[in-house]
Amino acid sequence: MVTIFTSTSLREQTTTRVVAEQIFSALDSLGIPHKEIPTNNIWCRDYMPLLLDRHQPRYTRYRYYPDYLRDSKTYLSTIVDTETLCLGWHNVVTHWPNLIMDGGNYVLCDNHVIMTDKVLTENAGYYQTTILRSLEQGFWNKHLILLPWDMSEPYGHADGMVAYLGDNKLLLNNYGQLHETGDQAFRKRLLHLLEPHFEVIELDYGGKPHKDSWCYLNYLQVLGAVLLPCLSEHFDSDSDRAAIETFQTIFTEPIIPIYAEPLVRQGGALHCVTWEYYNN
């Protein structure tokens, strides 16, 4: 059984309350339980423990001390103490008490884990080989794939670049529609790293993409549906319609559009503000 968690701040903040209400409504209609975490940081994906295995639900904590928060006077207070938060959770362990990590920079793909190399940057005090060996051991010897950090995205999150579909299929964001030379070179570099391990499906929405079309990959898949972040309140913009049509060709489950522009303005979407807890 899976429960979807969100931060209390998502519902309490005026700007994001509309998103929370739509998420809760969609989950209720699907009969999926949801709970709230008492924190002042809406991006619960980033600080909650990492799922190591869906079939034997075990989670691991890490040191949540990202540079984009610790170097900011405004957001320093939003660094969540997950040790206290998860106290008493029987299936949460701590593999890396000193290794700085971020749940947004973690994509579990059965026997693989995808991260960006920002994990090396944030732990520059350790030898890279030590970091990589420690990560693979903590991930139960899953094969770790490090992607280059997409420097147009300040957080270094892998979950804004790829999403796992199961059956060895991987969804890659729409880098192919970004026609600058640097973006095409970056796309080819990603494909070079991913194609030996996965069947890669590249997102493409046709025509000229919206500047925020990156957000559609940041969806939430639950039992029975895919919650898709959208940029227009009535899901009727050209980019929203194109994204809905595209995702309908990828998934057999119904697509439930969620107005997520208040999140997108802050740099994230639905995957970022939700966290799955499996408790078999």
Side-chain angles (χ1 to χ4, degrees):
M1 182 176 183
V2 62
T3 300
I4 303 298
F5 279 79
T6 57
S7 169
T8 50
S9 294
L10 186 69
R11 174 180 49 82
E12 292 169 351
Q13 291 183 13
T14 304
T15 55
T16 59
R17 184 177 301 141
V18 62
V19 184
E21 291 173 348
Q22 289 182 80
I23 293 173
F24 298 161
S25 176
L27 295 176
D28 288 340
S29 69
L30 295 165
I32 296 174
H34 53 90
K35 295 182 179 180
E36 292 180 293
I37 311 162
T39 69
N40 65 344
N41 185 330
I42 66 172
W43 312 109
C44 63
R45 178 73 57 178
D46 295 347
Y47 50 81
M48 293 302 286
L50 306 179
L51 176 65
L52 298 173
D53 193 312
R54 290 183 177 86
H55 305 293
Q56 299 176 337
R58 292 293 183 271
Y59 294 82
T60 184
R61 287 180 52 254
Y62 44 90
R63 187 183 179 202
Y64 179 65
Y65 197 58
D67 53 9
Y68 56 84
L69 296 183
R70 71 171 183 262
D71 296 338
S72 168
K73 293 181 179 179
T74 303
Y75 296 110
L76 180 63
S77 63
T78 65
I79 296 178
V80 175
D81 176 10
T82 54
E83 183 174 4
T84 301
L85 191 65
C86 299
L87 195 64
W89 292 33
H90 71 280
N91 57 352
V92 176
V93 298
T94 304
H95 284 308
W96 311 286
N98 298 312
L99 201 63
I100 297 173
M101 294 176 59
D102 185 327
N105 188 22
Y106 176 83
V107 179
L108 177 63
C109 311
D110 290 333
N111 295 320
H112 295 77
V113 168
I114 298 176
M115 305 179 75
T116 73
D117 54 17
K118 187 171 189 285
V119 68
L120 303 178
T121 303
E122 287 209 289
N123 294 281
Y126 297 92
Y127 289 114
Q128 291 188 359
T129 53
T130 301
I131 296 171
L132 296 175
R133 184 166 55 249
S134 177
L135 287 173
E136 288 201 331
Q137 289 174 350
F139 294 148
W140 293 354
N141 294 313
K142 293 180 175 62
H143 181 216
L144 175 62
I145 300 174
L146 278 189
L147 300 181
W149 179 3
D150 178 0
M151 299 303 288
S152 66
E153 187 270 319
Y155 311 113
H157 286 178
D159 73 347
M161 302 173 70
V162 295
Y164 188 56
L165 299 173
D167 296 326
N168 216 45
K169 296 179 181 179
L170 194 72
L171 198 57
L172 177 65
N173 219 336
N174 61 324
Y175 293 103
Q177 290 185 291
L178 306 177
H179 299 296
E180 294 83 354
T181 302
D183 292 316
Q184 286 299 316
F186 187 74
R187 166 184 169 264
K188 291 178 181 178
R189 189 177 175 191
L190 295 178
L191 290 172
H192 177 75
L193 291 168
L194 295 170
E195 285 184 330
H197 308 285
F198 304 101
E199 177 186 344
V200 179
I201 300 171
E202 293 187 74
L203 283 172
D204 190 316
Y205 304 114
K208 184 179 179 180
H210 189 280
K211 65 180 180 65
D212 290 326
S213 62
W214 57 265
C215 77
Y216 299 118
L217 183 79
N218 204 263
Y219 61 86
L220 174 66
Q221 185 174 12
V222 294
L223 183 64
V226 173
L227 278 57
L228 183 69
C230 288
L231 298 167
S232 55
E233 290 190 62
H234 302 291
F235 325 121
D236 55 358
S237 67
D238 290 344
S239 59
D240 283 351
R241 287 199 298 265
I244 292 169
E245 291 175 3
T246 298
F247 275 76
Q248 285 173 336
T249 67
I250 296 171
F251 293 94
T252 57
E253 299 92 338
I255 305 299
I256 301 179
I258 303 289
Y259 175 58
E261 198 269 343
L263 299 179
V264 176
R265 282 201 307 267
Q266 300 182 53
L270 301 185
H271 193 259
C272 297
V273 297
T274 54
W275 179 73
E276 301 93 347
Y277 181 64
Y278 294 83
N279 188 17
N280 290 354

